[in-house]
Amino acid sequence: MAAPPTAATPSSAAPTDPLGVAGSDASLRRFLHGLPGVDQVGVEARAAGLGTRSVKTTAKAYALDLAVRMVDLTTLEGADTPGKVRALSAKAVRPDPTDASCPAAAAVCVYPDLVATAKQALGSSGVKVASVATAFPSGRAALDLKLADVANAVADGADEIDMVIDRGAFLVGDYRRVLDEIVAVREVCARPGGHDAHLKVILETGELATYDNVRRASWLAMTGGADFIKTSTGKVQPAATLPVTLVMLEAVRDFRRATGRMIGVKPAGGIRTTKDAIKYLVTVNEVAGPDWLDPDWFRFGASSLLNDLLLQRQKMRTGHYSGPDHVTLD
Amino acid sequence: MTQDATPAPASPFAYAPAPESTSVVDLRASYGLFVDGAFVDGRGESFTTLNPATEQPLAEVAAADSADVDAAVKAARRAQERVWGRMPGRERAKYLFRIARIIQERSRELAVLESLDNGKPIKESRDVDVPMVAAWFFYYAGWADKLEHAGYGTTPVGVAGQVIPWNFPLMMLAWKVAPALACGNTVVLKPAETTPLTALLFAEICQQADLPAGVVNVLTGAGETGRLVVAHDDVDKVAFTGSTEVGRQIARAVAGTRKRVTLELGGKAANIVFDDAAIDQAVEGTVNGIFFNQGHVCCAGSRLLVQESIAEEVLDRLRARMSTLRVGDPLDKNTDVGAINSREQLDRINELAAVGEEEGAGRWAPDCELPSTGYWFRPTIFTGVTQAHRIAREEVFGPVLSVLTFRTPAEAVEKANNTPYGLSAGVWTEKGSRILWMAERLRAGVVWANTFNKFDPTSPFGGYQESGYGREGGRHGLAAYLQEENR
């Protein structure tokens, strides 16, 4: 194949089925089951090895700022209120009020009914609004309801839609149904006159059970036109793990080699510490490659990670640790 | 997919140097021999051990001459007959457990010293070698009071003369010393000329553990010292790990004597990748198989046999993966490939790599920067290699991989077995029945399935043909150190 293209800005005109494998149910199935297997012991050993990289001084300072810029600051509680979302949005724009050099987070991630609030609170800050639609987190609703959910969020101005796949259909082998839903959602993400909402497809890897399934679901989502593939809703354990993210990074790397298109990756749920975040960045760097070290191509779905990153930034700036009272609650 | 091995663009996320501190190591200017529980001067001409990453001298080390060897063997004999051989197994076990615990307590010191003297990355000495050394002592400590259950008798052989190589100085020491002591033998150990320091630190640990004098003796020196140990009349058992050439000399030297001998020699292992393998893990296993410890591994997977249908794709991924290997300062925690152990070994690797080019194989190495001093060699692959090439037959003992292809499982077995060696092999396939079919047919002491270079004290290790004889590790490892007549 041709040399890999240089990093491009994400295009929402993602073609579905760039490899031409979804012509029939049988060919789709044959393709997904023809992907190389994933050896559990091997992939976990590789992830553990990458986790021991020592990142300090200049590399650490770079990693901290990059990680802040990659955070999708998330609140997904039944108790969410406009006030909470406005506070979170302020935090995303100015994570550390004591330090003007601190970059903004990538996005705030909210339920669809709070998109308008977030959009207004963020204004022209450049921080994106992501919304979990498609009957998040279970995805167990009729397709027209899921599409309506997405349409609402898009109409209210969501920049990014995080959809969940139908894990039941996936596990029963009905890949066509999963694919069709992704394609349908992606159509609803389109806005007249461009500026489509970007589509992040949540695989809920904790329910897929095997790494082989994670790889297949990743390719299925990319075939359906996903801009991003995301590990988890955060509502199911285990959520994001390093080996699962590694398998997904291999998938986007291979997809780019096969099609020339770059797809983003977003681990979500359970990443709480700077130490963990840096392990993910090392894995991005060494598995997918440095092109993915950018908020356009890698995100952290997290709520508490940001504060730990800020404490570490303060430590690097001042030389000593502060404490939880030196960063804002939300 | 075709040639796609241009090195990744320099990342802004370049890891800053993260060197391990050397302050935990108390390097002395000179070291003596360890004989009969005490450090003594050597009578031979002392020599210098270098840091292969910098070519700077680390310390002066004594060399043992024949009188020193005689004194050590006498001390070992005395200790064996009067103390160690008579001691109940449960008492010996206590000493071995104590040694194992001290190794854990001083693990950082051992790892740093090993990397200084050998040139291997600290992450390997710290995460692989030293933990394995402790595990080996713990494992054989457990056998010391259960020998009657092993099925090889309970009578020790006597005095063991042990000669170990420079690639895993501490680990080879543990493989030799732990089972010997567990069975009631005493030892005279000769570490390699280029890597004597951790054996001397181990001698200190024996003192710290109050091991009775003479049970462990460490004689430093070059090949001549090793010959004297092997040839000494009062040595009952010879154990050697190293090159096939020296192994032959030892076999000749002990032929016709009452001495027992185990040899663990060279290898030219095949790593066989089928088209249904978990391909990323197979690539990772290939990298680990040949570039672990700079390829200074007797069981290294130095021949990649890849099914023709996926050869290009595997090579493509292999080159990309190799471009992420970090070569450099062994003490940097982010280093993947360290220094070549000696000038002599570097010359040999260069020579064989040149042969590979002359033979017309395609040479490729990532474009990484190497330090200006020290002994370095880029991780290298040769493609288009056939069985007729010298680089497919001779052990390079360095970070050089020969890539060959095959079409059918039977052909893979034929090619894998078409070597005078037979230490290890790897099989990569998702098909369980094929793994078993292959394992039955591969002539190798170890066959790894979907993994490579995994060691465990409970698992026997050893070779076929010119890879030597005898087994180390596991219950089988006791056999070499117990008297046959009681079997």
Side-chain angles (χ1 to χ4, degrees):
Chain A
M1 60 167 271
T6 50
T9 48
S11 150
S12 50
T16 53
D17 196 16
L19 291 169
V21 296
S24 70
D25 291 0
S27 72
L28 182 60
R29 183 183 181 77
R30 213 163 36 234
F31 172 73
L32 293 176
H33 284 262
L35 291 167
V38 185
D39 184 79
Q40 181 188 340
V41 175
V43 78
E44 288 174 1
R46 172 92 170 112
L50 288 166
T52 66
R53 287 289 196 212
S54 177
V55 174
K56 41 203 259 184
T57 62
T58 49
K60 186 170 179 186
Y62 178 82
L64 285 174
D65 275 11
L66 182 60
V68 169
R69 291 167 53 222
M70 286 174 165
V71 167
D72 281 4
L73 204 53
T74 301
T75 181
L76 296 171
E77 296 165 19
D80 283 347
T81 59
K84 160 103 182 173
V85 169
R86 274 192 289 272
L88 200 69
S89 300
K91 168 114 178 177
V93 175
R94 231 151 62 104
D96 188 347
T98 68
D99 181 1
S101 74
C102 182
V108 294
C109 183
V110 294
Y111 276 118
D113 62 321
L114 289 162
V115 166
T117 309
K119 196 71 193 162
Q120 191 192 22
L122 289 166
S124 58
S125 66
V127 176
K128 304 276 200 297
V129 175
S131 183
V132 291
T134 64
F136 181 93
S138 71
R140 301 223 78 103
L143 180 59
D144 55 347
L145 296 181
K146 293 183 188 175
L147 296 180
D149 199 14
V150 175
N152 272 339
V154 172
D156 282 353
D159 302 291
E160 300 169 355
I161 295 295
D162 292 22
M163 77 166 281
V164 290
I165 64 165
D166 184 338
R167 282 87 78 190
F170 181 90
L171 289 170
V172 87
D174 192 353
Y175 302 127
R176 164 68 46 189
R177 184 187 170 111
V178 180
L179 185 75
D180 287 347
E181 277 198 13
I182 296 170
V183 172
V185 171
R186 104 139 289 121
E187 278 164 12
V188 180
C189 285
R191 286 194 176 90
H195 218 74
D196 299 353
H198 282 202
L199 179 60
K200 303 198 196 110
V201 177
I202 303 173
L203 311 179
E204 196 65 292
T205 52
E207 291 184 346
L208 299 185
T210 69
Y211 293 113
D212 287 328
N213 278 345
V214 171
R215 177 168 284 177
R216 284 180 198 134
S218 299
W219 279 82
L220 187 58
M222 294 186 292
T223 300
D227 295 301
F228 256 79
I229 49 177
K230 176 175 167 182
T231 60
S232 326
T233 59
K235 306 289 185 192
V236 168
Q237 286 300 323
T241 67
L242 197 56
V244 154
T245 309
L246 194 158
V247 171
M248 291 166 64
L249 286 163
E250 287 173 350
V252 296
R253 176 199 64 194
D254 292 347
F255 189 77
R256 184 206 209 181
R257 287 154 82 115
T259 68
R261 285 198 63 231
M262 259 176 95
I263 307 291
V265 176
K266 176 178 170 183
I271 305 163
R272 292 192 180 84
T273 64
T274 300
K275 208 172 171 178
D276 279 342
I278 288 177
K279 288 179 186 179
Y280 279 87
L281 294 181
V282 166
T283 306
V284 171
N285 187 35
E286 299 203 24
V287 175
D291 286 351
W292 267 266
L293 287 174
D294 186 293
D296 280 347
W297 306 112
F298 194 77
R299 295 278 181 85
F300 291 107
S303 44
S304 54
L305 169 64
L306 184 57
N307 270 356
D308 195 57
L309 290 168
L310 297 179
L311 287 174
Q312 290 291 331
R313 279 185 97 256
Q314 291 178 358
K315 157 73 168 53
M316 290 207 88
R317 191 160 48 101
T318 63
H320 40 82
Y321 284 103
S322 47
D325 289 342
H326 294 260
V327 288
T328 56
L329 267 178
D330 53 33
Chain B
M1 300 191 193
T2 54
Q3 204 80 352
D4 182 17
T6 44
S11 165
F13 191 32
Y15 310 139
E20 175 72 46
S21 166
T22 56
S23 64
V24 287
V25 172
D26 183 20
L27 258 183
R28 282 184 255 153
S30 70
Y31 288 85
L33 311 170
F34 184 66
V35 177
D36 208 12
F39 284 95
V40 297
D41 291 338
R43 278 166 269 208
E45 199 175 327
S46 67
F47 60 97
T48 307
T49 183
L50 298 180
N51 177 345
T54 61
E55 301 175 59
Q56 295 299 308
L58 288 170
E60 286 289 305
V61 181
D65 73 359
S66 60
D68 294 317
V69 172
D70 196 49
V73 174
K74 281 203 168 77
R77 174 64 62 194
R78 242 183 349 260
Q80 205 280 326
E81 286 179 353
R82 295 187 191 165
V83 186
W84 194 250
R86 294 179 174 196
M87 192 183 280
R90 65 177 184 278
E91 292 300 316
R92 289 199 301 268
K94 286 182 194 170
Y95 285 102
L96 288 171
F97 277 123
R98 198 182 296 161
I99 289 170
R101 287 195 302 270
I102 297 171
I103 287 167
Q104 288 183 321
E105 283 160 14
R106 301 179 71 170
S107 59
R108 182 173 287 246
E109 188 182 354
L110 286 162
V112 171
L113 187 60
E114 190 83 321
S115 283
L116 279 174
D117 204 16
N118 171 279
K120 65 173 64 201
I122 184 75
K123 77 171 184 189
E124 290 177 8
S125 52
R126 178 196 66 193
D127 297 347
V128 182
D129 293 25
V130 174
M132 194 100 71
V133 169
W136 232 271
F137 278 96
F138 276 122
Y139 175 76
Y140 280 107
W143 269 118
D145 63 348
K146 303 175 193 69
L147 294 175
E148 64 269 30
H149 303 296
Y152 302 118
T154 57
T155 313
V157 174
V159 174
Q162 306 179 323
V163 179
I164 58 172
W166 47 261
N167 58 341
F168 291 98
L170 264 176
M171 203 151 89
M172 292 300 105
L173 176 151
W175 284 29
K176 300 272 183 294
V177 173
L181 298 195
C183 295
N185 305 275
T186 56
V187 305
V188 176
L189 177 90
K190 206 289 281 182
E193 186 185 5
T194 58
T195 57
L197 295 181
T198 44
L200 295 165
L201 183 53
F202 176 78
E204 249 180 74
I205 288 173
C206 292
Q207 286 183 323
Q208 193 185 342
D210 280 330
L211 191 71
V215 173
V216 168
N217 303 275
V218 179
L219 298 181
T220 45
E224 181 54 26
T225 305
R227 262 189 291 279
L228 291 167
V229 170
V230 168
H232 195 285
D233 280 345
D234 209 24
V235 164
D236 301 297
K237 141 110 198 137
V238 171
F240 172 74
T241 294
S243 71
T244 294
E245 188 192 321
V246 175
R248 278 199 199 97
Q249 292 168 19
I250 290 175
R252 277 190 214 106
V254 300
T257 70
R258 72 195 157 78
K259 290 178 194 172
R260 307 148 128 260
V261 62
T262 47
L263 301 173
E264 200 263 271
L265 309 174
K268 192 74 190 174
N271 220 343
I272 304 163
V273 180
F274 285 96
D275 61 3
D276 67 343
I279 203 159
D280 288 305
Q281 285 75 53
V283 166
E284 195 58 33
T286 303
V287 167
N288 178 49
I290 184 62
F291 301 124
F292 178 69
N293 202 36
Q294 296 77 246
H296 299 330
V297 185
C298 45
C299 54
S302 52
R303 285 183 297 153
L304 174 65
L305 293 181
V306 56
Q307 198 154 10
E308 219 169 71
S309 52
I310 54 160
E312 277 309 307
E313 184 174 1
V314 167
L315 277 172
D316 203 28
R317 286 167 190 256
L318 184 59
R319 291 191 195 99
R321 174 66 180 92
M322 283 168 68
S323 300
T324 67
L325 286 174
R326 301 166 61 88
V327 184
D329 180 6
L331 287 180
D332 189 326
K333 292 166 206 160
N334 289 325
T335 290
D336 298 314
V337 179
I340 302 301
N341 181 248
S342 64
R343 164 75 62 193
E344 187 190 0
Q345 186 59 26
L346 179 61
D347 290 346
R348 172 161 171 80
I349 298 169
N350 274 319
E351 183 196 322
L352 275 166
V355 167
E357 278 185 284
E358 281 164 31
E359 289 173 326
R363 178 176 182 165
W364 185 87
D367 185 24
C368 53
E369 225 172 276
L370 298 180
S372 50
T373 58
Y375 313 132
W376 306 94
F377 195 88
R378 284 191 179 81
T380 298
I381 51 174
F382 279 101
T383 52
V385 177
T386 73
Q387 292 293 106
H389 284 128
R390 262 180 77 191
I391 47 166
R393 309 205 66 79
E394 292 181 28
E395 187 180 35
V396 179
F397 220 66
V400 178
L401 178 69
S402 294
V403 184
L404 299 88
T405 58
F406 67 92
R407 291 159 302 178
T408 65
E411 187 183 350
V413 170
E414 263 181 15
K415 281 187 169 167
N417 287 342
N418 181 217
T419 166
Y421 296 109
L423 199 51
S424 66
V427 180
W428 298 83
T429 170
E430 289 278 273
K431 205 174 165 87
S433 59
R434 183 181 289 152
I435 289 170
L436 299 175
W437 188 91
M438 295 288 292
E440 272 182 357
R441 285 158 182 81
L442 288 167
R443 274 201 315 272
V446 187
V447 178
W448 283 295
N450 291 327
T451 188
F452 209 90
N453 271 347
K454 288 282 179 289
F455 307 98
D456 191 284
T458 65
S459 174
F461 182 92
Y464 277 63
Q465 305 191 102
E466 290 191 10
S467 290
Y469 38 81
R471 291 292 178 265
E472 295 184 292
R475 182 183 66 89
H476 305 73
L478 297 166
Y481 292 98
L482 291 166
Q483 298 263 15
E484 267 163 26
E485 57 259 33
N486 286 11
R487 279 186 203 171

